Amino acid sequence: MTGTPYTITNVNSGKQATPASCATANGTGIELSSALGTSCQQWTFANAGNGHYVITNVGSGKVLDSVDCGFRDGTLTDLWSPLGNVCQEWDVSAVGSHYTISNVGNGMVLDAEDCGTADGTVVRQWAQLDNLCQQWDIKS
């Protein structure tokens, strides 16, 4: 898995995890978007040790980040420069043929807000509910 660019697609919506408007600045929120075929929808996974990964956006070089290291349901995700902390480390766990992606710092999983399916649906973190809104396909 390490080094290869992947798309991260929500199972419920079929939409891809994408920085808002394909922006590259620190603090750019992550949302769902239809496939664009661009590097802003590609992510690499680097081994962070202990089975954890740092997930880096190919288009920006910034990493997937838990905003302010939040610990509440609804904590947002964004792009941020690498800080080397657990708020930027993720566990990828198989669920059948799909995956959950959980933050090491807070244990919450990536979630499509309110199971939304439209472009622009916020990708946030939530306690694991074992539903398709929190499952992802990771494909090269």
Side-chain angles (χ1 to χ4, degrees), residues 62-82:
K62 305 259 170 73
V63 301
L64 181 62
D65 175 79
S66 176
V67 172
D68 296 328
C69 294
F71 279 89
R72 296 199 168 126
D73 284 342
T75 295
L76 297 175
T77 57
D78 66 359
L79 293 179
W80 204 267
S81 297

Side-chain angles (χ1 to χ4, degrees), residues 18 31 38-39 65 67 71 80 87 94 99 104 108 123 127 137:
T18 308
E31 61 186 28
T38 66
S39 64
D65 175 79
V67 172
F71 279 89
W80 204 267
C87 304
Y99 298 91
V104 173
M108 293 186 290
V123 176
D137 288 327

Side-chain angles (χ1 to χ4, degrees), residues 73 93 95 100 102 107-109 126-131 134-135:
D73 284 342
S93 303
V95 179
T100 57
S102 57
M108 293 186 290
V109 298
W126 203 267
Q128 189 162 343
L129 301 171
D130 295 321
N131 64 32
Q134 296 181 336
Q135 292 180 18

